Amino acid sequence: MGITILARMLLLISSVTLISLLALSKCGLSGALDNGIDDGIAHPIKSALRNDEQHALLMEQREEENQQEIAKLKAEIKNLKLELFQLRNNPILSDQILSLNQNASTSSMMIQQQQSAAASYQLDCTNYIRRQVGQAEILHGMPMNNEYEIIPFNHFTFSRVYPIELGLGKRVVEKPIGYKRKDLLDALNRGLDSLNKNATLLNQRYTLDDFIEGIYRNDPTTGTQYELYFRTKEICNKTSNPSPSSSSHHNDHGTTKIIVMRPFAPLQTVQIEKFPKTAEKEIIHIILPLSGRISTFQGFMDKFVKIALKNDRRVQLTVVYFGEEGLSEARQIMKRIVAQKSSYSSNLKLLALNETFSRAKGLRVGAEQIWNEDKSRGKNNKDVLLFMCDVDIVFSAKFLDRCRWNTKPNRKVYYPVVFSLYNPHVVYTLQGKEMPSETDQLVISRDTGFWRDFGYGMTCQFRSDFLKVRGFDEESVGWGYEDVMLYRKYVRSNIKVIRASDPGIFHLYHSKVCSGSQNGQKMSADQYRACIRSRALNEASHPQLGFLAFHDELILNNNQTELNQNSNNNTNNNNKNSNSSSNSVYELRSTRKHISNKQQQQKQHTTKNTRVKVPSSTTTTKKAT
């Protein structure tokens, strides 16, 4: 009831004000016209015409003032109606207004207070969003207690998602559908809006066709983070001709990275970052510790030449070889590559250590060798990007780009989740399939491999960060535990760890031997458990391991099924040819007796026509027996 009275009062005040203005305007105009007529009688015609012009100007001014006042009143009425609507939906606020004086000045004060409250609410909302973005681990790292607190990213393209949520029955690659597709499209559209904010020409505008790939993760405390990569838009000069080097490379374009976040509120653009073209890319120094395994090393070098040297070209490989056995063969392999093209000599280095194999030491020695080379060239302050690799790894040129995108000195390091291939003998041969070539085996599917979420050996990081966390624990010997220790150092630091599934890097299958000791030194309990787990997961998928585990039982079941079928067939035949089981036993004894008599008669008589008639039940009894 109180709201209705207040509404009527406000409308009445507005109506009275409008009528008063109209009345005043009409009175003023009529008075002016009367004065003009009197003056026209008293003065000459020239003066009358001048007065008529003044009267017309005065009318126009009055009309403009009236229209402005009417517009103001209409706007005020519109605002009052809006305030009334808000009051009806907020009974607490309406009670507060009714307790005040019921006049125009009080209502005007309330409107101003509500406008101030709305502005304050909007400011609080903006501050909240900014606080959420600031608290998120998106532009900086945060120290954590252990490696299990890291939330990994999921890699995605426009049509594929590579989820990192692992487990039996989970897909390793899937199409984004439903809410997931809408979520990713919202992020892409927000990124496009930010990129096209200052674009004036049509060829400067970004579209979904320019999207390359991205990663995302959901932080339950702050929101969903997206890192999107687009091909950089450039305005080409029509008069200039492209250089042969740039036109020969199909991927010779810059890359623009944009970070957006959904902090349980509208998405906010956090950062836009541009990456250089091919010729200006950061050089990746690949460090490969090795001991023996010459045939595997030969395959690694063949793929390295095709992918890294011929495609990416901004890479250098340092092989740290342990021991004397196989050293000469490794040197010959690298010499043959340099003989193919002399310019490759600057991209390949071989360091020989006559010591027991230690991956941690090999990586440290490789990093120090790069440091010493830079010092000799006068580049003391030059930081370098390291990729710590293994001989069982196959990577693509796209992975090398991600290695650059996801690393920054003192800011972030990249730990890709590698796709590990199962034993091809189990995947193909035991399934009755023909063994494909090694290149054709690089397929991401549930039956060919799994995301190696427990492996931390493959990593991209700058040398300054590697030295800052004091590198590896070289006292750890044996199987791969030093990788976990280095990973935990980064997790507990302020450096951001990018942990994401990467479809461009594969771990080839090779057999593992998890003995109690390795290289003459005893493995720790954690090392042994990690090796056993890796061996079990690396062999085959869960259904394939089940077929292997129950192989004997499956064979026994198949044989039993065949025996049951044969037994059923024989039983049916016996029922037709014999009357009872007792007769069969009697006939069996009788048959043996007749056979014995027949053999004796054949020895005593040589007459060809002498024959012994064998009962017809003999054959059936033998089968039944």
Side-chain angles (χ1 to χ4, degrees), residues 349-524:
K349 295 287 185 300
L350 177 63
L351 304 178
L353 299 179
N354 192 13
E355 301 178 13
T356 303
F357 178 80
S358 171
R359 186 174 187 271
K361 186 171 184 178
L363 294 172
R364 177 184 61 80
V365 170
E368 289 178 351
Q369 176 66 21
I370 300 170
W371 170 265
N372 294 332
E373 289 179 357
D374 286 350
K375 285 181 66 176
S376 63
R377 297 171 184 170
K379 300 178 181 179
N380 295 340
N381 298 325
K382 173 86 173 160
D383 205 353
V384 294
L385 177 58
L386 307 176
F387 170 40
M388 302 175 184
C389 188
D390 280 344
V391 72
D392 303 302
I393 293 298
V394 178
F395 54 85
S396 65
K398 204 65 184 176
F399 163 76
L400 297 176
D401 283 337
R402 298 186 196 106
C403 185
R404 299 180 179 98
W405 296 344
N406 293 310
T407 52
K408 185 173 289 187
N410 202 31
R411 292 289 187 86
K412 54 186 179 179
V413 296
Y414 186 42
Y415 273 86
V417 181
V418 179
F419 192 80
S420 187
L421 297 176
Y422 291 137
N423 186 349
H425 178 67
V426 178
V427 175
Y428 301 103
T429 306
L430 293 184
Q431 304 296 327
K433 301 177 183 178
E434 185 179 354
M435 181 80 70
S437 64
E438 186 179 275
T439 304
D440 294 336
Q441 293 179 27
L442 303 180
V443 178
I444 297 178
S445 72
R446 204 157 129 193
D447 294 328
T448 58
F450 67 101
W451 291 112
R452 200 181 186 86
D453 63 321
F454 57 86
Y456 307 98
M458 306 308 108
T459 173
C460 297
Q461 52 192 260
F462 277 86
R463 181 179 55 196
S464 59
D465 296 330
F466 179 71
L467 298 176
K468 185 177 180 180
V469 297
R470 298 183 180 180
F472 289 106
D473 179 12
E474 295 185 21
E475 295 181 358
S476 176
V477 296
W479 189 86
Y481 197 64
E482 74 282 351
D483 302 332
V484 180
M485 299 303 294
L486 177 64
Y487 182 73
R488 287 176 178 173
K489 289 181 180 180
Y490 282 116
V491 168
R492 294 173 179 141
S493 70
N494 289 321
I495 298 175
K496 182 181 177 181
V497 177
I498 303 294
R499 181 72 167 160
S501 56
D502 196 316
I505 182 169
F506 292 82
H507 178 268
L508 299 177
Y509 172 83
H510 61 90
S511 59
K512 291 183 178 295
V513 178
C514 297
S515 60
S517 62
Q518 187 171 354
N519 295 327
Q521 301 187 27
K522 188 176 181 180
M523 297 174 65
S524 65

Side-chain angles (χ1 to χ4, degrees), residues 228-290:
L228 313 174
Y229 296 91
F230 294 84
R231 296 181 184 88
T232 303
K233 285 283 188 181
E234 296 181 354
I235 303 176
C236 299
N237 190 357
K238 295 182 180 180
T239 60
S240 62
N241 295 323
S243 61
S245 60
S246 61
S247 61
S248 62
H249 196 270
H250 71 282
N251 196 26
D252 190 15
H253 56 75
T255 306
T256 299
K257 173 184 175 181
I258 180 169
I259 300 177
V260 297
M261 179 177 175
R262 191 193 301 275
F264 305 125
L267 287 164
Q268 303 294 315
T269 300
V270 179
Q271 184 186 52
I272 296 178
E273 186 177 359
K274 295 184 181 296
F275 295 93
K277 297 181 181 180
T278 303
E280 302 170 355
K281 289 180 180 179
E282 185 79 31
I283 296 178
I284 299 178
H285 295 265
I286 303 176
I287 306 176
L288 176 65
L290 183 65

Side-chain angles (χ1 to χ4, degrees), residues 557-569:
N557 181 70
N558 293 335
N559 294 337
Q560 186 66 37
T561 302
E562 294 177 358
L563 289 173
N564 291 337
Q565 292 177 353
N566 294 333
S567 177
N568 292 333
N569 294 334

Side-chain angles (χ1 to χ4, degrees), residues 62-74:
R62 292 286 178 87
E63 186 67 22
E64 290 178 359
E65 291 176 357
N66 292 336
Q67 293 295 333
Q68 292 176 359
E69 191 66 27
I70 291 171
K72 290 181 181 178
L73 289 172
K74 287 182 178 180

